[in-house]
């Protein structure tokens, strides 16, 4: 059984890290960060949770299997390049709309963000696929 | 639209054939035959439109960046082939309905057959060489499926694979030849090549292109030494042998030679190579044919001989020889297609294909017998059948051979005489003679099984009696397409008593002599049999047998399973390539000055070095991994100092996760008991130091080299304006080079699945134990 310190720490650290990962993802376009880095951090958060509470509860935390996450992420990233095809531009030409909400600055939103979200999800999936495969293999061996 | 639609209709029918068979059941042969027959009628309708050297052209863009168009061309040559494909195709479809009646796989059979028909039609209609190649390969694939139709039989599968490998290898050669031709001429369009033939002929690449193209044509048309797959293909159902392996597909090579004759066929190389292959095949095929006792193998070898004759005539390449080739093409397809179907009927009704056991069948199979006699007479070149006209033309043409004309004529006479013998053995003797071997009772074949052969046999008679029916509207445009000039074709049945007629008589006499001495011939050839290792089929077999061993040996060396071995190979390969390039550097930049390096930078570097030494010295794996983690974090610190925050964050996260994953993986490895011997460690150290040195030198050099204006400046300038981002690194990743990122992440996903599969598979393996 992992130490109680680790479990208590994980209880607060995992959501914090995950929020930090999201911040890294969304601010990535203008400041250090982005989908890849955010994805790695989010995966690290889940990894921490798994080390504290065991991989099966970590699996429950993310609900879908990591391989599904990879597929979803890759799918989103792939689809983000499609809209430009309808404008007869090459695949994956960035498309932007400017979001004008009250009280905040005009915010350009583009397919690049969609792409980055896809990368974010795919990276989580790929780190966790390997991580779970290794930890669960270990468990089965112990059994 | 006309030509593309025709091919499209056939493909559509191929797709829905199983469904149609379920609806129409035993009548499906008759129903399905309407498709090729109406295309045939349409082809007849265009006969009048094609006068002179005109052609109907159609074009759609396909891959414009590679100069590949979906273009079609209907001229005299392709029309002649199209009529054979659709006309005989219709007969075959009807016949198959009777031959394969009640087979549960009939729907699948028709699907394959129509797929082949579409491919073959596309092949002869294609105006783009790449398009032609695609259809060419499609005929090979559908032929594979059809030969292996009785897929529960080992022999069928082996023969199908043999045919596929031989014609597929030839197809690769053809592709190379086509690309060479395209490179020389700057276009893959046959229409363009026809009008710019001299460019191709005068190119230094011409001999190579010609040779490759010929290998493709010769494998497809079963020329010696690639002929052996054709007798093997007799494992196919009879309608397939009749259609693919006598009337149409094996003539694809002949078609290619005829098609490209105006482009490539000029010079000595063409004449000698094509004539050599053709005459040898013509002779060898005929000799091999008469000594067979199996009906279908007799016909198969005689088809090899006929294909040789066609190739020979095209190699001679005079106006007369092309005329002879076109007439013989038609005659042969008619009689050989019919005889193959008849052989199938005989086999099915009597249960035997051995000519020694067959006799007196005319009384029981009158209509099949009539068809057989007509076909056999046309094959012997007996007047007044079309075969007679064809043989006279053939002899006249052989006299015109640019080299060795007397020899070729002698070979031609012998081959024709042997062909007569085959015709007697296959088409006449089982029906008229040897009545004592008549089987006691016999089921009467359905009309579907004799109507096709009978019509084709009658065709040989009709066109022989009235050659005017075909000479001007069918043969003439075809000859014009091959010669690429105006030609008058006027076929006549009777030429009077001249040398050629005398040769014909000699041939018939010789054929009869050969017939009476056929048993002697069989035993003679049995004694002469070459040892398996030197025959082409034996060599093919040993090559195929050797393949698993060779690939196992290669795998043993390349995939040793030793991870350190793989790493060493990768690093050594990198070293060799980089060092070779580094040695060629003319002027080395000066070492950068160390004056500006601050105290804490020295500290980080020292930390990295110390961690590295620790990794090398410690014995526990966990400690080594922790040491590597320190190295990684040290490098991350350097990134931060040189203001690369994105890289630093990535590096830190990766290091963290790597350590976690490493620890997980290492806990599963056995403890390190002892170290490798000193010599191995010295070798590894040497390689490592060299690699480090190479990378250092490379980075030193890379800083000084500027091949292009800096691309990073472009990204920095356009990042905010074009992509609304201030973080250039991220903008490059998700916008400017997003496709690269997508590719990289896909690779990561594949790697993750690989890791997953490796771990899980291993576990499953252990669970079983």
């Amino acid at each position: 059984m992992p130490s109680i310190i680790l479990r208590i720490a994980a209880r607060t650290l995992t959501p914090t890290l995950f929020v930090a990962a999201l911040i890294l993802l969304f601010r990535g376009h203008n400041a250090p960060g982005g989908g890849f880095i955010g994805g790695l951090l989010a995966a690290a958060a889940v990894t921490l949770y798994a080390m504290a509470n065991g991989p099966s509860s970590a699996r429950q935390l993310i609900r879908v299997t990591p391989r599904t996450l990879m597929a979803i992420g890759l799918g989103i990233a792939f689809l983000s390049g499609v809209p430009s095809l309808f404008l007869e531009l090459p695949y994956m030409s960035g498309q932007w709309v400017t979001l004008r909400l009250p009280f905040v600055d005009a915010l350009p939103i583009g397919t690049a963000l969609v792409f980055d979200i896809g990368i974010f999800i795919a990276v989580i999936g790929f780190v966790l696929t390997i991580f779970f495969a290794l930890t669960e293999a270990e468990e089965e061996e112990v059994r | 639209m006309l030509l593309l639609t025709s091919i499209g209709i056939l493909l559509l029918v191929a797709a829905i054939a199983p469904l149609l068979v379920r609806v129409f059941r035993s009548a499906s042969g008759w129903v399905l035959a309407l498709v090729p027959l109406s295309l045939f009628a349409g082809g007849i309708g265009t006969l009048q439109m094609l006068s002179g050297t005109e052609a109907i052209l159609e074009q759609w863009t396909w891959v414009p960046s590679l100069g590949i168009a979906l273009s079609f061309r209907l001229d005299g040559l392709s029309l002649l082939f199209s009529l054979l494909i659709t006309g005989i195709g219709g007969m075959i479809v009807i016949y198959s309905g009777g031959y394969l009646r009640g087979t549960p796989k009939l729907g699948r059979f028709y699907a394959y057959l129509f797929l082949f028909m579409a491919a073959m039609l596309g092949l002869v209609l294609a105006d783009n060489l790449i398009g032609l190649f695609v259809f060419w390969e499609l005929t090979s694939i559908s032929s594979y499926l059809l030969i292996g139709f009785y897929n529960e039989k080992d022999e069928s599968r082996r023969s199908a694979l043999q045919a596929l490998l031989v014609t597929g290898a030839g197809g690769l050669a053809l592709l190379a030849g086509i690309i060479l031709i395209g490179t020389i001429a700057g276009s893959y369009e046959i229409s363009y090549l026809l009008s710019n033939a001299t460019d191709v002929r005068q190119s230094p690449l011409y001999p190579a292109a010609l040779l490759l193209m010929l290998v493709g044509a010769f494998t497809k048309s079963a020329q010696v030494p690639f002929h052996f797959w054709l007798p093997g293909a007799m494992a196919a159902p009879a309608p397939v042998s009749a259609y693919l392996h006598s009337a149409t597909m094996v003539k694809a090579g002949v078609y290619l030679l005829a098609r490209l004759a105006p482009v490539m066929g000029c010079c000595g190389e063409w004449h000698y190579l094509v004539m050599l292959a053709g005459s040898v095949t013509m002779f060898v095929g005929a000799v091999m044919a008469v000594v067979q006792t199996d009906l279908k193998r007799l016909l198969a070898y005689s088809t090899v001989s006929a294909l040789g004759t066609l190739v020979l005539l095209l190699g001679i390449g005079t106006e007369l020889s092309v005329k002879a080739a076109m007439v013989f093409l038609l005659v042969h397809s008619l009689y050989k297609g019919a005889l193959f179907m008849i052989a199938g009927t005989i086999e099915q009704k009597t249960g035997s294909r051995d000519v020694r056991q067959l006799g007196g069948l005319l009384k029981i199979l009158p209509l099949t017998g009539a068809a057989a006699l007509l076909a056999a007479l046309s094959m012997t070149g007996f007047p007044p059948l079309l075969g007679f006209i064809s043989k006279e033309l053939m002899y006249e043409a052989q006299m015109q051979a640019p080299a060795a004309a007397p020899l070729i004529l002698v070979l031609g006479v012998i081959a024709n005489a042997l062909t007569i013998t085959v015709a007697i053995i296959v088409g006449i003797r089982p029906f008229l003679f040897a009545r004592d071997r008549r089987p006691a009772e016999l089921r009467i074949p359905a009309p579907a099984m004799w109507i096709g052969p009978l019509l084709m046999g009658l065709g040989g008679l009709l066109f022989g009696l009235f050659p005017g029916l075909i000479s001007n509207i069918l043969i003439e445009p075809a000859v014009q397409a091959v010669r690429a000039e105006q030609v008058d074709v006027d076929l006549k049945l009777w030429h009077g008593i001249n040398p050629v007629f005398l040769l014909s008589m000699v041939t018939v006499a010789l054929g009869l002599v050969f017939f009476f001495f056929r048993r002697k011939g069989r035993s003679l050839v049995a004694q002469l049999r070459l040892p398996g290792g030197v025959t082409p089929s034996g060599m093919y077999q040993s090559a195929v047998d050797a393949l698993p061993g060779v690939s196992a040996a290669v795998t043993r060396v390349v995939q040793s399973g030793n991870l350190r071995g793989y790493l060493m190979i990768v690093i050594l390969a990198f070293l060799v390539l980089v060092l070779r390039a580094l040695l060629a550097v003319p002027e080395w930049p000066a070492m950068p000055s160390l004056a500006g390096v601050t105290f804490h930078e020295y500290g980080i570097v020292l930390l990295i070095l110390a961690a590295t030494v620790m990794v090398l010295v410690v014995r526990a794996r966990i400690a080594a991994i922790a040491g590597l983690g320190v190295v990684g974090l040290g490098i991350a610190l350097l990134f931060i100092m040189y203001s690369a925050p994105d890289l630093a964050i990535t590096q830190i996260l990766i290091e963290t996760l790597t350590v976690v994953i490493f620890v997980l993986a290492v806990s599963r490895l056995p403890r390190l008991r002892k170290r490798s011997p000193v010599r191995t460690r010295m070798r590894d150290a040497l390689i490592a130091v060299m690699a480090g040195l190479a990378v250092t030198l490379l980075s030193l050099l890379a800083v000084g080299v500027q091949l292009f204006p800096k691309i990073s400046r472009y990204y920095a300038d356009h990042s905010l304006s074009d992509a609304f981002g201030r973080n250039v690194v991220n903008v490059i990743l998700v916008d400017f080079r997003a496709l690269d990122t997508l590719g990289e992440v896909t690779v990561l996903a594949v790697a993750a699945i690989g890791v997953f599969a490796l771990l899980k598979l291993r576990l499953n393996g252990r669970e079983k134990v």
Side-chain angles (χ1 to χ4, degrees):
Chain A
M1 208 57 203
S3 77
I4 193 153
I5 301 175
L6 183 59
R7 279 164 68 195
I8 301 289
R11 199 180 294 166
T12 32
L13 274 178
T14 302
T16 319
L17 284 174
F18 201 82
V19 171
L22 285 177
I23 293 172
L24 276 177
L25 162 67
F26 286 112
R27 72 168 207 161
H29 217 56
N30 293 316
F36 192 79
I37 292 174
L40 285 176
L41 191 57
V46 181
T47 309
L48 179 67
Y49 189 83
M51 285 197 289
N53 300 307
S56 49
S57 50
R59 268 187 188 276
Q60 277 167 13
L61 184 73
I62 58 164
R63 284 169 202 218
V64 290
T65 63
R67 272 166 297 149
T68 318
L69 279 182
M70 282 201 300
I72 294 172
L74 278 180
I76 293 175
F78 175 78
L79 287 178
S80 76
V82 173
S84 56
L85 294 179
F86 292 103
L87 303 169
E88 298 197 6
L89 288 167
Y91 177 66
M92 248 177 200
S93 313
Q95 298 304 315
W96 294 86
V97 284
T98 307
L99 208 60
R100 289 179 204 287
L101 295 173
F103 310 118
V104 277
D105 290 342
L107 181 65
I109 300 259
T111 51
L113 178 65
V114 181
F115 180 80
D116 227 6
I117 292 172
I119 298 297
F120 177 80
I121 298 174
V123 168
I124 299 177
F126 121 81
V127 173
L128 291 184
T129 301
I130 296 177
F131 177 75
F132 282 145
L134 280 167
T135 48
E136 283 162 10
E138 191 181 26
E139 271 184 2
E140 279 179 52
E141 219 160 283
V142 172
R143 238 184 271 150
Chain B
M1 275 309 281
L2 190 79
L3 306 177
L4 184 68
T5 316
S6 310
I7 299 167
I9 289 173
L10 290 174
L11 281 176
L12 182 74
V13 175
I16 60 170
L19 211 70
L20 292 176
V21 168
R22 213 170 283 174
V23 174
F24 294 106
R25 292 171 187 280
S26 60
S28 43
W30 297 96
V31 177
L32 283 168
L34 291 176
V35 178
L37 288 180
S38 44
L39 291 177
F40 178 75
I44 299 280
T46 49
L47 274 177
Q48 302 294 340
M49 290 160 63
L50 289 175
S51 58
T53 47
E54 286 167 33
I56 299 173
L57 296 173
E58 288 177 11
Q59 194 167 28
W60 288 269
T61 48
W62 186 9
V63 193
S65 52
L66 294 177
I68 299 169
L70 199 58
S71 54
F72 297 100
R73 170 192 177 87
L74 183 70
D75 61 7
L77 181 66
S78 31
L79 184 59
L80 174 62
F81 272 89
S82 304
L83 289 176
L84 287 176
I85 293 162
T86 52
I88 298 183
M91 302 296 118
I92 296 288
V93 171
I94 295 176
Y95 177 83
S96 311
Y99 183 82
L100 292 169
R101 185 205 299 246
T103 314
K105 292 190 292 183
L106 186 62
R108 197 196 296 183
F109 178 82
Y110 276 128
Y112 296 161
L113 196 69
F114 275 90
L115 175 68
F116 166 77
M117 209 183 283
M120 192 68 208
L121 199 61
L123 199 168
V124 299
L125 290 179
D127 192 24
N128 187 293
L129 283 175
I130 299 288
L132 182 144
F133 171 77
V134 171
F135 287 117
W136 178 281
E137 292 295 72
L138 204 52
T139 62
S140 292
I141 291 167
S142 44
S143 156
Y144 168 76
L145 294 169
L146 284 166
I147 297 173
F149 181 67
Y150 297 126
N151 55 2
E152 66 283 355
K153 286 189 199 156
D154 188 40
E155 192 211 343
S156 294
R157 295 198 303 271
R158 212 179 26 238
S159 307
L161 187 63
Q162 176 175 293
L164 183 70
L165 287 180
V166 175
T167 54
L172 286 181
L174 174 65
L175 179 62
I178 284 174
I179 290 173
L180 277 185
I181 295 174
T183 314
I184 297 168
S187 169
Y188 290 114
E189 295 294 314
I190 293 170
S191 301
Y192 177 87
L193 293 173
L194 288 175
S195 49
N196 294 273
T198 38
D199 293 358
V200 179
R201 292 177 191 175
Q202 284 165 358
S203 158
L205 290 173
Y206 166 78
L210 176 71
L211 204 63
L212 288 164
M213 198 269 291
L214 288 183
V215 170
F218 289 171
T219 49
K220 196 82 167 177
S221 281
Q223 300 297 296
V224 172
F226 309 114
H227 64 286
F228 56 89
W229 71 264
L230 184 56
M234 293 303 124
V240 174
S241 310
Y243 193 38
L244 275 70
H245 305 127
S246 72
T248 54
M249 188 186 87
V250 287
K251 302 224 167 82
V254 174
Y255 170 78
L256 185 71
L257 292 180
R259 179 89 287 168
L260 292 180
V263 183
M264 326 241 345
C266 60
C267 325
E269 293 102 319
W270 165 280
H271 288 303
Y272 295 132
L273 284 172
V274 179
M275 276 168 47
L276 179 70
S279 48
V280 170
T281 308
M282 172 179 77
F283 184 72
V284 171
V287 172
M288 300 279 281
V290 283
V291 299
Q292 306 296 324
T293 52
D294 178 303
L295 265 183
K296 282 180 85 179
R297 290 184 75 83
L298 267 158
L299 289 171
Y301 277 111
S302 108
T303 304
V304 170
S305 169
L307 292 168
T309 308
L310 283 169
V311 168
L312 168 65
L313 289 174
L314 287 173
I316 294 171
T318 59
E319 187 187 314
L320 190 70
S321 78
V322 172
K323 201 195 298 180
M326 292 302 117
V327 177
F328 183 55
L329 179 79
L330 176 66
V331 181
H332 177 257
S333 296
L334 286 175
Y335 73 68
K336 195 58 71 64
L339 283 175
F340 264 113
M341 286 193 263
I342 290 159
T345 311
I346 294 179
E347 182 197 7
Q348 205 173 56
K349 297 301 162 192
T350 68
S352 171
R353 280 196 331 220
D354 191 330
V355 287
R356 290 166 300 187
Q357 295 171 3
L358 299 166
L361 293 172
L362 186 64
K363 201 159 191 179
I364 328 177
L365 303 170
L367 289 164
T368 308
L373 294 181
L374 281 172
L377 285 178
S378 191
M379 185 171 170
T380 55
F382 204 78
L385 287 102
L386 187 58
F388 174 73
I389 300 177
S390 157
K391 193 161 47 165
E392 302 239 303
L393 278 172
M394 202 188 292
Y395 285 150
E396 278 183 56
Q398 283 168 353
M399 288 177 186
Q400 290 185 345
L407 177 65
I408 286 177
L409 194 62
V410 169
L411 289 179
V413 169
I414 296 177
N416 271 324
L418 291 167
T419 303
I420 291 175
T421 312
V422 171
I424 299 174
I425 296 177
V426 173
I428 298 178
R429 186 174 169 276
F431 288 94
L432 289 184
F433 304 116
R435 301 213 181 118
D436 52 316
R437 299 200 186 100
R438 180 161 58 200
E441 66 178 296
L442 209 63
R443 286 175 297 142
I444 303 300
M449 296 189 72
W450 51 256
I451 197 154
L454 193 61
L455 282 177
M456 284 155 75
L458 285 174
L461 179 64
L462 184 73
F463 297 146
L465 285 172
F466 307 104
L469 285 174
I470 51 168
S471 63
N472 282 332
I473 56 170
L474 187 59
I475 302 297
E476 191 178 286
V479 177
Q480 278 168 349
V482 182
R483 295 288 302 163
E485 64 188 16
Q486 282 293 337
V487 175
D488 276 329
V489 174
D490 189 19
L491 300 178
K492 277 205 210 84
L493 185 61
W494 183 245
H495 284 266
I497 297 183
N498 54 15
V500 173
F501 180 75
L502 295 176
L503 269 181
S504 272
M505 292 300 108
V506 171
T507 313
V508 173
L510 258 181
L512 289 172
V513 171
F514 287 146
F515 175 71
F516 288 114
F517 287 99
R518 66 186 185 281
R519 293 201 181 83
K520 269 227 170 81
R522 265 175 219 149
S523 52
L524 196 68
V525 169
Q527 286 163 13
L528 282 177
R529 188 158 298 240
L530 293 168
V534 293
T535 59
S537 60
M539 281 191 245
Y540 162 85
Q541 201 51 49
S542 29
V544 170
D545 291 344
L547 206 55
V550 171
S551 73
V554 170
T555 311
R556 259 200 306 282
V557 174
V558 181
Q559 303 279 328
S560 62
N562 180 349
L563 198 57
R564 274 167 292 184
Y566 295 160
L567 266 181
M568 202 167 76
I569 290 171
V570 170
I571 292 176
L572 279 178
F574 163 81
L575 263 182
V576 168
L577 293 174
V578 170
L579 285 181
R580 216 180 133 259
L582 286 180
L583 286 177
V585 171
E587 194 185 345
W588 281 91
M591 282 296 285
S593 139
L594 294 177
V597 183
T598 59
F599 175 71
H600 52 270
E601 284 165 351
Y602 275 118
I604 294 170
V605 171
L606 276 178
L607 181 73
I608 295 175
L609 283 178
T612 315
V613 173
M614 173 194 149
V615 170
L616 292 174
V617 175
V618 290
R619 292 200 161 226
R621 281 201 169 102
I622 292 278
I625 291 164
L628 280 178
V630 172
V631 173
L633 291 175
I635 289 171
L637 281 175
L638 286 181
F639 282 147
I640 292 176
M641 276 174 197
Y642 293 99
S643 57
D646 279 285
L647 280 180
I649 300 174
T650 315
Q651 178 80 19
I652 290 169
L653 285 167
I654 290 283
E655 281 308 328
T656 313
L657 288 168
T658 311
V659 169
V660 170
I661 286 176
F662 255 149
V663 168
L664 283 172
V666 162
S667 68
R668 299 157 51 76
L669 292 175
R671 280 176 59 89
L672 275 180
R673 292 235 167 68
K674 59 174 194 239
R675 299 194 154 228
S676 333
V678 178
R679 276 188 56 184
T680 317
R681 274 190 285 162
M682 293 304 285
R683 184 198 66 194
D684 292 351
L686 185 69
I687 293 173
V689 169
M690 291 293 282
L693 195 67
V695 173
T696 310
L697 290 176
L698 204 59
S699 14
L700 198 62
L701 205 60
V703 174
V705 175
Q706 182 94 49
L707 291 176
F708 306 101
K710 267 198 166 174
I711 194 150
S712 51
R713 176 103 336 254
Y714 169 88
Y715 286 142
D717 288 346
H718 290 75
S719 175
L720 191 56
S721 57
D722 290 5
F724 305 98
R726 276 184 215 92
N727 179 357
V728 184
V729 175
N730 185 261
V731 169
I732 291 173
L733 282 177
V734 302
D735 200 325
F736 291 137
R737 317 244 7 129
L739 205 56
D740 292 356
T741 311
L742 185 63
E744 284 151 16
V745 175
T746 312
V747 170
L748 287 184
V750 172
I753 292 170
V755 170
F756 181 80
L758 276 177
L759 287 167
K760 294 287 170 187
L761 283 179
R762 224 177 63 139
L763 279 179
N764 289 343
R766 195 175 297 166
E767 272 162 16
K768 269 177 207 157
V769 176

